[in-house]
Amino acid sequence: MRIPGVGLVRRVPVPSVVPLMVRSLTAPVVETVSSYAVVTRDLLDHLADQAIAEVVRRVDLDATVQRLDIEAVLDRIDLTSTVVKRVDLDVLVREVFARVDGEQVMDLVAKVDIDAIAGRLDIEALLDQMDLTDIVLKRVDLVKVVDAVLAQIDLITIANEIIEGVDLPEIIRDSTGSMASETVKGVRMQGIGADQAVDRAIDRLLLRRTRTSSPAGPDGS
Amino acid sequence: MHDEAAAEAAHTRISPIPREARPFQGQRAGLVTRLVAAVLDSLVIGAVLLSGYLGLVGLVFLLHPRSFTFPELGVVFSLAAAFAVAVVYLTVFWTLSGRTYGYLVMGLRVLGHGGRRLRFAGALVRALCVVVAPIGIVWVPLSSNNKSLQDLLLGTRVVYDWEPRATRADAPLDDEAAGDLS
């Protein structure tokens, strides 16, 4: 380290405008004085360097740092803008990713509360932005999906339920049935009704309360 | 309970039976339907006899056209012929499908021991009993379970069965088999 102002001290040449005689008389003195000045400058520089080194050696930087109010210092610094302005974040991120291995990533992921994040997501808005129909048509093997669904469905049972629900046999009878079949149906139903009427009348006459007409009933034989 | 089970079983497949008639399927038929069926069968037997007589007339006419007169058949022969035709008719149809023409029209079926279709011997015996004593049918309304005298004697029954094929008749009814004589 140089002492401020000392660098200005140089050997001073004798100006040419000075008369030769004067120059010849003053030159030795001037040169001698300037030489002493230069030596003195170098000496002062050296002494300053020595003093600084000694000061640095003697100062307890740890104690000095401990006495510092780091928080106050940090409060006075806009670290965010400083980092944004002065740090190449792309490089930093690349370095970070280069140093992080898969297990560390998995550890980090395990610590993240995915449910909480998912709970804050606006799923409806996300879905509104997506053309799900197009995605399904492009990316889903619909044939396999349909085959898998059909494999789990008892189509015969469903078909029977549908046929029962719409009463397909009745529709077929109505569309293809003849007057004869309708007449037979009517005669049969009237016969059943007459059977029941006769049975009820006989039961009343015999004061009988129960009649077993189902095939599971007792034979009584 | 058995009616509900039978109704559910009928619903598990496509049934050609009208919805309003399904609850009666498998139940024992009453007097009226059986009488109507018997009358229809009598008409069929009468038609067969008449056809036989006309055939005989035609044969006689072909053999003796000049001296042709309508053949006079004795009462005994006529009754015997009617008896035979009736027995054969009933036996054949009860054996084949459990139903004669009259039973087919009225949606009835004869079931034998354990709810199975009648075999030839059973059908023959029942036909003989029915033809000999048709009056036995009047016991149907008097019986607590709609059985005629023939049914009581042979352990048979007549049920409503509108199914075109005899699927129901072939299925044994285990819970009833013990009480039948057959």
Side-chain angles (χ1 to χ4, degrees), chain A residues 41-62:
Chain A
R41 182 202 65 185
D42 293 341
L43 185 60
L44 287 174
D45 279 345
H46 183 70
L47 286 173
D49 290 340
Q50 289 291 324
I52 289 169
E54 185 62 21
V55 168
V56 170
R57 189 179 66 81
R58 293 192 180 189
V59 170
D60 185 357
L61 282 177
D62 292 336

Short mmCIF file of all heavy atoms in Angstrom, two decimals, chain A residues 41-62:
data_model
loop_
_atom_site.label_atom_id
_atom_site.label_comp_id
_atom_site.label_asym_id
_atom_site.label_seq_id
_atom_site.Cartn_x
_atom_site.Cartn_y
_atom_site.Cartn_z
N ARG A 41 10.05 8.33 0.05
CA ARG A 41 8.74 7.82 -0.40
C ARG A 41 8.70 6.29 -0.37
O ARG A 41 7.77 5.69 0.17
CB ARG A 41 8.48 8.31 -1.84
CG ARG A 41 7.14 7.88 -2.37
CD ARG A 41 7.15 7.91 -3.87
NE ARG A 41 8.08 6.92 -4.41
CZ ARG A 41 8.36 6.78 -5.70
NH1 ARG A 41 7.84 7.63 -6.57
NH2 ARG A 41 9.20 5.86 -6.12
N ASP A 42 9.71 5.69 -0.89
CA ASP A 42 9.74 4.23 -0.90
C ASP A 42 9.74 3.67 0.51
O ASP A 42 9.08 2.65 0.81
CB ASP A 42 10.97 3.73 -1.66
CG ASP A 42 10.89 4.07 -3.15
OD1 ASP A 42 9.73 4.34 -3.62
OD2 ASP A 42 11.91 4.05 -3.84
N LEU A 43 10.51 4.37 1.34
CA LEU A 43 10.58 3.92 2.73
C LEU A 43 9.21 4.01 3.41
O LEU A 43 8.78 3.09 4.12
CB LEU A 43 11.60 4.78 3.48
CG LEU A 43 11.87 4.36 4.92
CD1 LEU A 43 12.43 2.92 4.96
CD2 LEU A 43 12.83 5.32 5.59
N LEU A 44 8.53 5.12 3.17
CA LEU A 44 7.19 5.28 3.77
C LEU A 44 6.22 4.22 3.24
O LEU A 44 5.40 3.68 4.00
CB LEU A 44 6.65 6.68 3.45
CG LEU A 44 7.30 7.81 4.22
CD1 LEU A 44 6.81 9.17 3.74
CD2 LEU A 44 7.02 7.65 5.71
N ASP A 45 6.32 3.93 1.94
CA ASP A 45 5.46 2.88 1.38
C ASP A 45 5.69 1.55 2.09
O ASP A 45 4.75 0.84 2.48
CB ASP A 45 5.75 2.70 -0.12
CG ASP A 45 5.04 3.74 -0.96
OD1 ASP A 45 4.10 4.39 -0.40
OD2 ASP A 45 5.35 3.86 -2.16
N HIS A 46 6.94 1.23 2.24
CA HIS A 46 7.27 -0.04 2.88
C HIS A 46 6.77 -0.08 4.32
O HIS A 46 6.20 -1.09 4.77
CB HIS A 46 8.79 -0.23 2.82
CG HIS A 46 9.25 -1.54 3.38
ND1 HIS A 46 8.99 -2.75 2.75
CD2 HIS A 46 9.92 -1.83 4.51
CE1 HIS A 46 9.48 -3.73 3.50
NE2 HIS A 46 10.06 -3.18 4.58
N LEU A 47 7.01 1.07 5.01
CA LEU A 47 6.55 1.12 6.40
C LEU A 47 5.03 0.98 6.50
O LEU A 47 4.49 0.29 7.39
CB LEU A 47 6.99 2.45 7.05
CG LEU A 47 8.48 2.54 7.40
CD1 LEU A 47 8.83 3.94 7.86
CD2 LEU A 47 8.82 1.52 8.48
N ALA A 48 4.35 1.61 5.57
CA ALA A 48 2.87 1.49 5.59
C ALA A 48 2.44 0.05 5.36
O ALA A 48 1.52 -0.45 6.05
CB ALA A 48 2.27 2.40 4.51
N ASP A 49 3.08 -0.62 4.42
CA ASP A 49 2.73 -2.03 4.18
C ASP A 49 2.98 -2.86 5.42
O ASP A 49 2.16 -3.72 5.80
CB ASP A 49 3.55 -2.57 2.99
CG ASP A 49 3.12 -1.96 1.67
OD1 ASP A 49 1.95 -1.44 1.62
OD2 ASP A 49 3.88 -2.03 0.70
N GLN A 50 4.10 -2.62 6.06
CA GLN A 50 4.43 -3.39 7.26
C GLN A 50 3.40 -3.14 8.35
O GLN A 50 2.96 -4.05 9.05
CB GLN A 50 5.82 -2.98 7.75
CG GLN A 50 6.96 -3.46 6.84
CD GLN A 50 7.12 -4.97 6.91
OE1 GLN A 50 6.95 -5.56 7.96
NE2 GLN A 50 7.46 -5.59 5.77
N ALA A 51 3.05 -1.83 8.50
CA ALA A 51 2.09 -1.49 9.55
C ALA A 51 0.73 -2.15 9.31
O ALA A 51 0.11 -2.69 10.23
CB ALA A 51 1.94 0.04 9.61
N ILE A 52 0.30 -2.12 8.05
CA ILE A 52 -1.02 -2.73 7.74
C ILE A 52 -0.99 -4.23 8.00
O ILE A 52 -1.93 -4.80 8.59
CB ILE A 52 -1.39 -2.43 6.28
CG1 ILE A 52 -1.74 -0.95 6.13
CG2 ILE A 52 -2.58 -3.28 5.83
CD1 ILE A 52 -1.88 -0.49 4.70
N ALA A 53 0.09 -4.85 7.57
CA ALA A 53 0.20 -6.30 7.80
C ALA A 53 0.17 -6.62 9.27
O ALA A 53 -0.48 -7.60 9.71
CB ALA A 53 1.48 -6.82 7.15
N GLU A 54 0.85 -5.78 10.06
CA GLU A 54 0.88 -6.02 11.50
C GLU A 54 -0.51 -5.83 12.11
O GLU A 54 -0.95 -6.61 12.97
CB GLU A 54 1.91 -5.06 12.15
CG GLU A 54 2.12 -5.29 13.62
CD GLU A 54 2.68 -6.67 13.90
OE1 GLU A 54 3.28 -7.29 12.99
OE2 GLU A 54 2.51 -7.15 15.05
N VAL A 55 -1.16 -4.75 11.61
CA VAL A 55 -2.53 -4.51 12.12
C VAL A 55 -3.46 -5.69 11.80
O VAL A 55 -4.21 -6.18 12.66
CB VAL A 55 -3.09 -3.20 11.53
CG1 VAL A 55 -4.59 -3.09 11.80
CG2 VAL A 55 -2.36 -2.01 12.11
N VAL A 56 -3.38 -6.13 10.56
CA VAL A 56 -4.24 -7.25 10.15
C VAL A 56 -3.92 -8.49 10.97
O VAL A 56 -4.82 -9.26 11.37
CB VAL A 56 -4.07 -7.54 8.64
CG1 VAL A 56 -4.76 -8.86 8.25
CG2 VAL A 56 -4.64 -6.39 7.84
N ARG A 57 -2.65 -8.72 11.21
CA ARG A 57 -2.28 -9.90 11.98
C ARG A 57 -2.82 -9.84 13.39
O ARG A 57 -3.23 -10.84 13.97
CB ARG A 57 -0.76 -10.04 11.98
CG ARG A 57 -0.23 -11.34 12.57
CD ARG A 57 1.28 -11.40 12.49
NE ARG A 57 1.90 -10.39 13.33
CZ ARG A 57 2.07 -10.54 14.65
NH1 ARG A 57 1.67 -11.60 15.25
NH2 ARG A 57 2.67 -9.58 15.35
N ARG A 58 -2.80 -8.62 13.96
CA ARG A 58 -3.19 -8.49 15.35
C ARG A 58 -4.71 -8.40 15.56
O ARG A 58 -5.19 -8.66 16.67
CB ARG A 58 -2.54 -7.25 15.95
CG ARG A 58 -1.04 -7.37 16.03
CD ARG A 58 -0.46 -6.29 16.88
NE ARG A 58 0.99 -6.39 16.97
CZ ARG A 58 1.69 -5.65 17.80
NH1 ARG A 58 1.11 -4.77 18.59
NH2 ARG A 58 3.01 -5.77 17.84
N VAL A 59 -5.37 -7.98 14.57
CA VAL A 59 -6.83 -7.83 14.78
C VAL A 59 -7.51 -9.20 14.81
O VAL A 59 -7.26 -10.06 13.96
CB VAL A 59 -7.44 -6.97 13.65
CG1 VAL A 59 -8.96 -7.02 13.72
CG2 VAL A 59 -6.96 -5.55 13.77
N ASP A 60 -8.40 -9.39 15.81
CA ASP A 60 -9.19 -10.64 15.91
C ASP A 60 -10.48 -10.44 15.11
O ASP A 60 -11.46 -9.86 15.58
CB ASP A 60 -9.52 -10.92 17.37
CG ASP A 60 -10.21 -12.27 17.51
OD1 ASP A 60 -10.48 -12.93 16.46
OD2 ASP A 60 -10.51 -12.65 18.66
N LEU A 61 -10.42 -10.93 13.86
CA LEU A 61 -11.56 -10.69 12.96
C LEU A 61 -12.82 -11.39 13.46
O LEU A 61 -13.92 -10.85 13.32
CB LEU A 61 -11.22 -11.19 11.55
CG LEU A 61 -10.32 -10.25 10.75
CD1 LEU A 61 -9.98 -10.90 9.40
CD2 LEU A 61 -10.97 -8.91 10.55
N ASP A 62 -12.64 -12.56 14.05
CA ASP A 62 -13.83 -13.28 14.54
C ASP A 62 -14.57 -12.46 15.59
O ASP A 62 -15.80 -12.32 15.56
CB ASP A 62 -13.43 -14.63 15.12
CG ASP A 62 -12.93 -15.56 14.02
OD1 ASP A 62 -13.34 -15.32 12.85
OD2 ASP A 62 -12.18 -16.49 14.33
#
